[in-house]
Amino acid sequence: MDTFTSHRRVRLGRREKPAPLDLSHHYSAVTKRRMPSKIKEAYKFFQIPGILNMAGGLPNADFFPFDTLEAQAAKPERWTPSPNHPGETATSSTSSSDSAAATHIVVPKAADESDPSKKIDVTTVLQYGLAAGYPPLLSWVRQFTRENLQQDTPYKGGPDVVLTCGSTDGFSKTLDLLVDQWTEGVNDITDRPGLLCEPFVYTNILNQAQPHGVQVVTVKSNASGMAVKGPGGLEDVLANWDPSKGKRPHLMYTVTLGHNPTGIVLSVERKKEIYAVCSKYDVIIVEDEPYWYLQFPSAAVEEAKSRGLPPPTASTTPKSARSSGYPFLDSLTPSFLSLDTDGRVIRLDTFSKTVAPGCRLGWITAQPALVERFERINESTTQQPSGFVQGLISELVLGSNSSGSNTPNQRARSAFALLRSPRERAAFTGWDTSGWVRWLEGLRGTYERRVVRMCRTLDAGATLITTAPAPLSSRSDPDSEWAPLAVTKTPLYTFRWPRGGMFVWLRLHLETHPLWQAACPSSPQSPPLVLDGPALSAALMVWLTTKPFLVLVATGSMFSANDEVRQEDGWRYQRICFAAEEEGNVDLAAERFVEGVRRFWEVTDVEVVRKLLGELGPSGEVEALEEGVSSLGWYMGC
Amino acid sequence: MDTFTSHRRVRLGRREKPAPLDLSHHYSAVTKRRMPSKIKEAYKFFQIPGILNMAGGLPNADFFPFDTLEAQAAKPERWTPSPNHPGETATSSTSSSDSAAATHIVVPKAADESDPSKKIDVTTVLQYGLAAGYPPLLSWVRQFTRENLQQDTPYKGGPDVVLTCGSTDGFSKTLDLLVDQWTEGVNDITDRPGLLCEPFVYTNILNQAQPHGVQVVTVKSNASGMAVKGPGGLEDVLANWDPSKGKRPHLMYTVTLGHNPTGIVLSVERKKEIYAVCSKYDVIIVEDEPYWYLQFPSAAVEEAKSRGLPPPTASTTPKSARSSGYPFLDSLTPSFLSLDTDGRVIRLDTFSKTVAPGCRLGWITAQPALVERFERINESTTQQPSGFVQGLISELVLGSNSSGSNTPNQRARSAFALLRSPRERAAFTGWDTSGWVRWLEGLRGTYERRVVRMCRTLDAGATLITTAPAPLSSRSDPDSEWAPLAVTKTPLYTFRWPRGGMFVWLRLHLETHPLWQAACPSSPQSPPLVLDGPALSAALMVWLTTKPFLVLVATGSMFSANDEVRQEDGWRYQRICFAAEEEGNVDLAAERFVEGVRRFWEVTDVEVVRKLLGELGPSGEVEALEEGVSSLGWYMGC
């Protein structure tokens, strides 16, 4: 197995890039049965000049009730960036003086443009389209991915891209591509597919995989991410796999840049180690990166400052072989794709966090053979993302070189046409890649400032300091009226400032709570209960939602990959999101949380806790709440 | 088996509606393993007044770069309706004098509305949302479906709805719901799932089903649709099922209102017969109705008139128990849902033909238990349709009761705000259901007029009339210089005017072609060839794309459910779409087609045909073309 790829490499010279591996042995039976497209053989007939189409069953664009698609869109400078490296000034310091400044964008009914990769109009974008995506948007995403984002992919020809309806759709299609459904009692246990992931994971991935019969296999992780060596590490799990428990996993799911929920940014060094093991054991890596642009270079420095510790040694971001053309992008930690000599990385990107979750638009980057299979899957499922979002995002990013060819009547009626002079209109040519990067820099800046503010407040409230008269035995003058005070520091929670993403991951120290392991006697309404970790954790979560705290947090059990993790560790954690609230509430939310936790440690009446647990439902089951919040978290973008 | 539902009915009184059957025995293993949602148990926490959300991992709406979504939208009166019954005048005769008249619609950043089913704004529609759909749109679709479209569903409580990303997505999720993947050599033959359909079928359904291992089982059909009695009819197929060929099919796919490709509108009488057999054999009916509003009441009358035949006896549309409130809707043939006492009908609707294919928006109507499962599938795949289309369609149909609460600065910058006075703005309150129905009436009218024009032209060219001197033996006066002419009528094709949908389905009479069964000797480039039906059919298709005809049609083999149908009958048919071309080309396309067919019958040189077949690709394989055009047809809305 460890020679899986060695032959190929030996044959290749040092500078020649290898072709990506043929991974078709991993395809699901369904994927294998999907036919290749013969579209090219037929396309010539549709392209005959002057041909009239009586073949396709599609409505003529005249019958679409939308004559234009329009929007007020932000200028890329709306938000102020933060520096790419601690101590530097932001590369793009030209922030908008007016954050409300907006541009009116219009997708016209029909654009005067013959190149499909430049033509953005209602007639094409609201018509049936290509399964890979709307040509202008697909071209831009491909170019951005290959030339700016992941320009160093080391296999021959580099990766291709295919649009998705967001990364949930992307992962669903990845399961379709690679996983044969497995059912106990029907299929052989040795065929059971497995999915490698961290003990704490974006749970909806599990909700997607488990119904297919996939076995979730956790890999031990530490503060730097997934462990490779040692007991429970990746190599151990794969090398000592017991086939009687299922097929050795051939699929890994991970978020490397701002991990959800732990906030870790996986270093390139760790990525190299993980990749080598995946290559050895023929594991496909699914790298889900909704937060890739949210990396916080100031986090380590500000964390030390906030805690009065010496400044950390500066970490150097590995330089790419060549620049992306954007210092911001160059400063980010490279993706697994940059190490992907085999072509075994499937990266999921989404517009959910960069534009809006409601886009339901994203893309998959992978070796071309896999992308071709994803296109076939698209054809049989979603066909393509909605033309409404493809059109408006295309227009936002690429602008329009054409004034369109609506009828004069329609043009005259367009609010836009009346408002803007032709010169003003022509002036909007889209954000372009530079504007897109500038927008991301602004978002990163805004989130990074939130992290600093919120984490300082959390640091300040992490320890309960209580004072009490010192015990007699320790007093120097036992008869003095002025008893000295003994200061007790009780750690309520500890955490690492997030290096990326949208979350602070707090470890609670419930074992310091006065009611730790207290017995709740039975009452006429309730059975007896011992206030163990899971009970206190759930009670704290409910406590925080009560007045005057009124904050809702997610508990670690919601992100536990399996019951073992949930029971052993899940209750120890809470995940706090600093992205969802409006700007004015960020400090308030952190303050309320800190106050709520502090006051929870003052609770000494077991009945108070029992009452809180009663809020979880008639049966008082923590599980129900967790699953409920987890389901709701889905809608709330967990 | 025939007593599957009888007990339940016996127990029920005559007027009491039965509850829908529990169909969970049909769920796939994956569907069974999907967890129920516990969202309601957690929702109360998100609803606590003043609660700050640190739980959900979602960006605040302030970070969306879209401040509004806007569009120029048609008024519902843009197109002129046609009468609901032959000879009547159209119910809505108030057509727009200016077909370009449009309304500017705006989805504001934030609407001042607390009722989620009325609130339409960027803040909610571009955020993560509910798996069932955006509340205002979902409410409207539900109301329209239950109160106007299918108000008579006979089971207790009636059906529910769930939004999809169009009907391809809807059928994909139906397979996910009901079909266990089956692989030869892995699974038992007796477990192989089957799908009942007509011999000619919307082929992409097969492209979706077959990779899952589904066996396609055709049911004999005639000019009125799927046959129930007799050899090869539905009852025969199910009653005499051979289990050694797979599981008896538990799923049927059909288009009943404007069948693709045959243009048939299935009568309620036939539907009752089919439904009874499906109920007896526990078959779930998937009714895909993209063309339900395109039923052509004038077709039979105009067909008779065009052919000089006596007018047909008027068929009476069965009246619903109560009116939908719209004469247009009342005049349409009811869906299988109206007969669905068991709750075994899954109806697929789409906005692809009523608004635009690029919407990627539709809905499923089914009994609530199935709808709940579809919601769970949505959560794990597409989550929800794009907010861009949900927002703009909501705004189009429902309008906005609120002026929004953008900042004054943003409002001032809105082109819309500058253009319209508050009074004008308030005047647009959405199309509403009446406008929606009026829009559909207009589309039906436009398509129906196309049918009449195109079919008259096709009728005129259906027969090749040739004259030649009559043979001597038949002359009354053999010595006369004036030889009488013998008129020969060669039928080129026959067809029934479509009763609905977007297609004319022509039966070619290739057996009357001069080269029928002619032998093409081998040449240095080509193997020998007999000009049989498939060869002549393919050659005609290519011939029509050459100058001066320049029309592209779809061949019947593209819609053949299996190889047997393709070889025996597929080549006999061509499908002509009258929807795709712009208005000015409709007559031209029909004329070119007629001329092309006529001239094809003048081809007497086998080498001409061989050359045409050579256009199909290096190997000259008809199959490749068919699959290619079929793939392309996918993009072209086949």
Side-chain angles (χ1 to χ4, degrees):
Chain A
M1 207 60 213
D2 51 356
T3 58
F4 186 77
T5 60
S6 61
H7 286 305
R8 190 178 57 120
R9 287 195 180 128
V10 169
R11 278 191 280 105
L12 291 160
R14 237 181 224 189
R15 277 151 204 271
E16 193 189 343
K17 287 185 178 182
L21 292 178
D22 178 354
L23 296 178
S24 57
H25 57 287
H26 284 307
Y27 293 171
S28 69
V30 174
T31 295
K32 284 177 187 155
R33 286 189 291 254
R34 292 191 195 281
M35 300 296 289
S37 174
K38 296 195 175 172
I39 189 167
K40 282 176 190 163
E41 296 178 42
Y43 198 57
K44 65 173 180 179
F45 290 107
F46 283 91
Q47 287 190 306
I48 296 169
I51 194 103
L52 298 182
N53 180 13
M54 301 170 93
L58 69 173
N60 188 273
D62 281 346
F63 298 138
F64 305 164
F66 289 95
D67 297 336
T68 64
L69 299 177
E70 308 182 24
Q72 288 290 103
K75 297 191 171 181
E77 302 81 21
R78 180 170 283 182
W79 307 108
T80 307
S82 53
N84 292 331
H85 303 283
E88 281 184 6
T89 52
T91 49
S92 304
S93 53
T94 52
S95 293
S96 179
S97 57
D98 175 8
S99 70
T103 310
H104 193 88
I105 66 174
V106 180
V107 180
K109 185 79 176 190
D112 300 325
E113 169 64 60
S114 58
D115 180 351
S117 73
K118 291 182 180 165
K119 188 182 177 80
I120 305 170
D121 62 17
V122 170
T123 299
T124 54
V125 85
L126 292 194
Q127 193 51 276
Y128 286 102
L130 293 170
Y134 190 51
L137 185 61
L138 181 68
S139 300
W140 178 76
V141 165
R142 183 186 284 123
Q143 184 174 328
F144 177 70
T145 303
R146 289 171 57 109
E147 295 180 17
N148 305 116
L149 191 57
Q150 307 299 340
Q151 71 272 22
D152 279 336
T153 307
Y155 54 77
K156 196 174 170 183
D160 201 358
V161 298
V162 55
L163 300 192
T164 63
C165 299
S167 285
T168 301
D169 181 52
F171 188 66
S172 167
K173 286 166 176 165
T174 304
L175 292 173
D176 191 340
L177 180 79
L178 299 170
V179 170
D180 281 320
Q181 293 170 0
W182 183 90
T183 299
E184 193 167 0
V186 174
N187 302 99
D188 198 282
I189 183 68
T190 57
D191 290 330
R192 184 171 191 190
L195 177 69
L196 298 158
C197 65
E198 292 95 347
F200 292 106
V201 62
Y202 172 50
T203 331
N204 297 316
I205 289 300
L206 310 182
N207 295 339
Q208 293 186 266
Q210 283 171 336
H212 293 265
V214 172
Q215 176 169 214
V216 173
V217 179
T218 57
V219 177
K220 200 176 164 185
S221 298
N222 56 33
S224 312
M226 192 181 276
V228 179
K229 306 287 176 195
L234 184 62
E235 176 104 49
D236 180 37
V237 167
L238 291 168
N240 301 308
W241 184 256
D242 176 0
S244 73
K245 291 182 181 166
K247 206 168 85 179
R248 193 178 60 205
H250 68 289
L251 202 55
M252 173 188 288
Y253 172 84
T254 188
V255 178
T256 77
L257 305 171
H259 184 267
N260 179 4
T262 64
I264 293 169
V265 171
L266 201 68
S267 70
V268 174
E269 292 66 36
R270 183 67 63 89
K271 279 181 178 160
K272 282 180 182 166
E273 293 170 34
I274 292 171
Y275 188 87
V277 175
C278 287
S279 187
K280 183 174 169 186
Y281 292 95
D282 194 20
V283 173
I284 292 180
I285 299 172
V286 182
E287 187 192 23
D288 182 15
E289 304 290 15
Y291 317 108
W292 61 274
Y293 64 101
L294 293 182
Q295 300 181 40
F296 307 128
S298 73
V301 176
E302 292 292 333
E303 180 187 70
K305 205 190 289 181
S306 167
R307 294 172 180 181
L309 300 171
T313 49
S315 67
T316 51
T317 311
K319 292 284 173 200
S320 287
R322 59 190 171 93
S323 170
S324 68
Y326 300 96
F328 171 72
L329 297 180
D330 291 347
S331 75
L332 302 176
T333 306
S335 144
F336 266 122
L337 283 173
S338 70
L339 312 169
D340 188 20
T341 38
D342 296 346
R344 62 174 64 259
V345 175
I346 296 174
R347 173 167 157 143
L348 308 179
D349 278 275
T350 176
F351 286 93
S352 287
K353 308 300 195 291
T354 55
V355 175
C359 290
R360 304 325 305 140
L361 183 70
W363 73 94
I364 295 173
T365 309
Q367 59 154 298
L370 298 184
V371 165
E372 186 275 336
R373 291 285 88 188
F374 279 118
E375 287 181 29
R376 300 290 81 73
I377 294 171
N378 277 354
E379 282 174 358
S380 288
T381 54
T382 54
Q383 292 196 10
Q384 51 165 331
S386 174
F388 285 73
V389 63
Q390 292 201 84
L392 282 166
I393 303 253
S394 297
E395 187 64 35
L396 178 71
V397 177
L398 298 167
S400 178
N401 296 316
S402 161
S403 62
S405 64
N406 293 332
T407 64
N409 198 7
Q410 283 171 326
R411 264 209 298 280
R413 284 166 196 281
S414 161
F416 178 67
L418 287 181
L419 245 194
R420 316 271 161 172
S421 71
R423 202 166 61 89
E424 279 179 296
R425 187 171 189 173
F428 182 69
T429 54
W431 280 7
D432 210 347
T433 300
S434 59
W436 177 249
V437 174
R438 177 60 186 80
W439 173 255
L440 300 179
E441 290 185 64
L443 286 181
R444 197 268 298 268
T446 305
Y447 283 111
E448 190 164 17
R449 287 186 291 277
R450 286 186 171 210
V451 169
V452 173
R453 285 156 57 195
M454 191 171 267
C455 287
R456 281 184 188 153
T457 303
L458 292 173
D459 269 348
T463 309
L464 184 65
I465 299 177
T466 47
T467 53
L472 278 177
S473 60
S474 71
R475 292 185 197 174
S476 55
D477 177 7
D479 299 322
S480 166
E481 273 184 44
W482 300 95
L485 293 175
V487 176
T488 314
K489 292 185 178 180
T490 308
L492 304 179
Y493 51 82
T494 48
F495 68 105
R496 197 161 170 265
W497 286 35
R499 268 47 175 176
M502 290 187 164
F503 311 106
V504 184
W505 183 240
L506 293 174
R507 182 174 178 129
L508 303 168
H509 294 281
L510 293 166
E511 67 281 2
T512 69
H513 193 280
L515 292 178
W516 175 251
Q517 299 295 357
C520 253
S522 63
S523 73
Q525 292 81 36
S526 316
L529 178 70
V530 172
L531 295 184
D532 58 4
L536 280 176
S537 175
L540 172 57
M541 182 265 173
V542 178
W543 169 263
L544 289 168
T545 67
T546 61
K547 283 185 187 173
F549 318 119
L550 290 173
V551 289
L552 188 61
V553 300
T555 64
S557 49
M558 296 180 199
F559 308 97
S560 301
N562 55 39
D563 283 340
E564 197 187 332
V565 174
R566 188 172 292 112
Q567 281 150 22
E568 286 189 9
D569 275 325
W571 53 271
R572 297 182 200 276
Y573 292 91
Q574 285 189 341
R575 194 196 72 174
I576 291 181
C577 175
F578 47 83
E581 269 303 326
E582 45 192 87
E583 196 60 23
N585 287 339
V586 172
D587 294 326
L588 182 63
E591 286 158 14
R592 285 186 184 177
F593 175 81
V594 163
E595 176 69 6
V597 172
R598 191 181 63 77
R599 295 268 301 275
F600 185 67
W601 255 254
E602 294 171 4
V603 174
T604 52
D605 181 354
V606 291
E607 285 308 315
V608 172
V609 176
R610 194 200 305 263
K611 202 174 158 202
L612 290 169
L613 294 174
E615 288 293 307
L616 297 177
S619 60
E621 282 169 29
V622 179
E623 195 70 9
L625 170 87
E626 284 161 7
E627 282 180 29
V629 174
S630 183
S631 300
L632 199 59
W634 184 275
Y635 305 112
M636 304 305 282
C638 236
Chain B
M1 207 61 212
D2 50 356
T3 58
F4 186 77
T5 60
S6 60
H7 286 303
R8 193 178 53 120
R9 287 196 180 125
V10 169
R11 278 191 282 107
L12 292 161
R14 236 177 225 193
R15 278 150 204 272
E16 193 188 344
K17 288 184 176 182
L21 292 178
D22 178 355
L23 296 178
S24 57
H25 57 287
H26 284 307
Y27 292 171
S28 69
V30 174
T31 295
K32 283 178 187 154
R33 285 189 291 253
R34 291 192 197 282
M35 299 297 289
S37 172
K38 298 197 175 171
I39 191 167
K40 282 176 191 162
E41 298 180 39
Y43 197 56
K44 64 173 179 177
F45 291 107
F46 283 90
Q47 286 191 308
I48 296 170
I51 194 104
L52 298 181
N53 179 13
M54 301 171 93
L58 69 172
N60 189 273
D62 281 346
F63 298 139
F64 305 164
F66 289 95
D67 297 336
T68 64
L69 299 176
E70 308 182 23
Q72 288 292 104
K75 297 190 172 183
E77 302 82 20
R78 181 169 280 182
W79 308 107
T80 307
S82 54
N84 291 332
H85 303 283
E88 281 185 6
T89 51
T91 48
S92 304
S93 54
T94 52
S95 292
S96 178
S97 56
D98 175 9
S99 71
T103 311
H104 193 86
I105 66 173
V106 179
V107 180
K109 184 79 176 191
D112 300 325
E113 170 63 60
S114 58
D115 180 351
S117 73
K118 291 182 180 164
K119 188 182 178 78
I120 305 169
D121 62 17
V122 169
T123 300
T124 55
V125 84
L126 292 194
Q127 194 50 275
Y128 286 102
L130 293 171
Y134 190 51
L137 185 61
L138 181 68
S139 301
W140 178 76
V141 165
R142 183 185 285 124
Q143 184 175 328
F144 177 69
T145 304
R146 290 171 55 109
E147 294 179 18
N148 305 117
L149 191 57
Q150 306 298 340
Q151 71 272 23
D152 280 336
T153 307
Y155 54 76
K156 196 174 170 184
D160 201 359
V161 298
V162 54
L163 300 191
T164 64
C165 298
S167 286
T168 301
D169 181 52
F171 188 66
S172 167
K173 286 168 177 165
T174 303
L175 292 172
D176 191 338
L177 180 79
L178 300 169
V179 170
D180 281 319
Q181 293 170 1
W182 183 89
T183 299
E184 194 167 359
V186 174
N187 302 101
D188 198 281
I189 183 67
T190 56
D191 290 331
R192 185 172 190 190
L195 177 70
L196 298 159
C197 65
E198 293 95 347
F200 292 107
V201 61
Y202 172 51
T203 331
N204 296 318
I205 290 300
L206 309 182
N207 295 339
Q208 293 185 266
Q210 283 171 335
H212 293 265
V214 173
Q215 176 170 211
V216 174
V217 179
T218 58
V219 178
K220 201 176 165 185
S221 298
N222 56 32
S224 313
M226 192 181 276
V228 178
K229 307 288 176 195
L234 184 62
E235 176 103 49
D236 180 36
V237 167
L238 290 168
N240 301 307
W241 184 256
D242 176 0
S244 73
K245 290 180 180 166
K247 206 168 83 177
R248 193 178 60 204
H250 68 288
L251 203 55
M252 171 188 287
Y253 172 85
T254 187
V255 177
T256 76
L257 304 171
H259 184 266
N260 179 5
T262 64
I264 293 168
V265 171
L266 200 68
S267 70
V268 174
E269 293 67 35
R270 184 67 63 91
K271 279 180 179 163
K272 282 180 182 166
E273 293 170 34
I274 292 171
Y275 188 88
V277 175
C278 288
S279 186
K280 182 173 169 186
Y281 292 95
D282 195 19
V283 173
I284 292 180
I285 300 172
V286 182
E287 187 192 23
D288 182 15
E289 304 291 14
Y291 317 109
W292 61 274
Y293 63 101
L294 292 181
Q295 299 181 41
F296 308 127
S298 72
V301 176
E302 292 292 333
E303 181 187 71
K305 204 190 291 180
S306 166
R307 295 171 179 180
L309 300 172
T313 48
S315 68
T316 50
T317 309
K319 291 285 173 203
S320 287
R322 59 190 171 96
S323 169
S324 68
Y326 299 97
F328 172 71
L329 297 180
D330 291 346
S331 75
L332 302 176
T333 307
S335 145
F336 265 122
L337 283 173
S338 69
L339 311 170
D340 188 20
T341 39
D342 297 346
R344 62 175 65 257
V345 175
I346 296 174
R347 172 166 159 144
L348 308 179
D349 279 274
T350 176
F351 286 93
S352 287
K353 308 300 194 289
T354 55
V355 175
C359 290
R360 304 323 305 138
L361 182 70
W363 73 95
I364 295 172
T365 308
Q367 58 154 297
L370 299 183
V371 164
E372 186 275 337
R373 292 285 89 186
F374 280 118
E375 287 181 28
R376 300 290 80 74
I377 294 171
N378 277 355
E379 282 173 359
S380 288
T381 54
T382 54
Q383 293 195 7
Q384 51 165 330
S386 174
F388 285 73
V389 63
Q390 292 201 84
L392 282 166
I393 303 251
S394 296
E395 186 64 35
L396 178 72
V397 178
L398 297 167
S400 178
N401 295 316
S402 162
S403 61
S405 63
N406 293 333
T407 65
N409 199 8
Q410 283 172 330
R411 264 210 299 280
R413 282 166 198 281
S414 161
F416 179 67
L418 286 181
L419 245 192
R420 316 268 161 175
S421 70
R423 203 166 60 88
E424 278 179 296
R425 185 172 191 174
F428 182 69
T429 54
W431 281 7
D432 209 347
T433 300
S434 59
W436 177 248
V437 174
R438 176 63 186 79
W439 174 255
L440 300 178
E441 289 185 65
L443 286 181
R444 197 270 296 271
T446 305
Y447 284 111
E448 189 164 19
R449 288 186 291 276
R450 285 186 172 209
V451 170
V452 173
R453 285 155 58 195
M454 192 171 265
C455 287
R456 281 184 188 153
T457 303
L458 293 172
D459 268 350
T463 309
L464 185 66
I465 300 176
T466 47
T467 51
L472 280 175
S473 59
S474 69
R475 293 185 196 172
S476 55
D477 176 6
D479 297 324
S480 163
E481 273 183 46
W482 299 96
L485 292 175
V487 176
T488 314
K489 292 185 178 179
T490 308
L492 303 179
Y493 52 81
T494 47
F495 69 106
R496 196 159 171 269
W497 286 35
R499 268 48 175 175
M502 291 188 163
F503 311 106
V504 184
W505 183 240
L506 294 172
R507 182 174 178 129
L508 303 168
H509 294 281
L510 293 165
E511 67 281 2
T512 69
H513 193 280
L515 292 178
W516 175 250
Q517 299 295 356
C520 250
S522 63
S523 74
Q525 291 81 34
S526 313
L529 177 70
V530 172
L531 295 184
D532 57 5
L536 279 177
S537 174
L540 171 57
M541 182 264 171
V542 179
W543 168 264
L544 289 168
T545 67
T546 62
K547 283 185 187 175
F549 318 119
L550 290 172
V551 288
L552 187 62
V553 300
T555 64
S557 50
M558 294 179 202
F559 308 97
S560 302
N562 55 38
D563 283 340
E564 197 187 331
V565 175
R566 188 172 291 111
Q567 282 151 21
E568 285 188 10
D569 275 326
W571 53 271
R572 298 183 200 275
Y573 292 90
Q574 284 188 341
R575 194 197 71 174
I576 290 182
C577 175
F578 47 83
E581 271 302 329
E582 46 193 85
E583 196 60 24
N585 287 339
V586 172
D587 294 327
L588 181 64
E591 286 158 14
R592 284 186 183 177
F593 175 83
V594 163
E595 176 70 4
V597 173
R598 192 181 62 75
R599 294 269 300 277
F600 185 69
W601 256 253
E602 294 171 4
V603 174
T604 52
D605 181 353
V606 291
E607 286 308 316
V608 171
V609 176
R610 197 206 295 270
K611 202 174 158 205
L612 290 168
L613 294 174
E615 288 293 310
L616 297 177
S619 61
E621 283 169 29
V622 179
E623 195 71 10
L625 170 87
E626 284 162 6
E627 284 181 29
V629 173
S630 183
S631 300
L632 199 58
W634 184 275
Y635 305 112
M636 305 304 280
C638 237

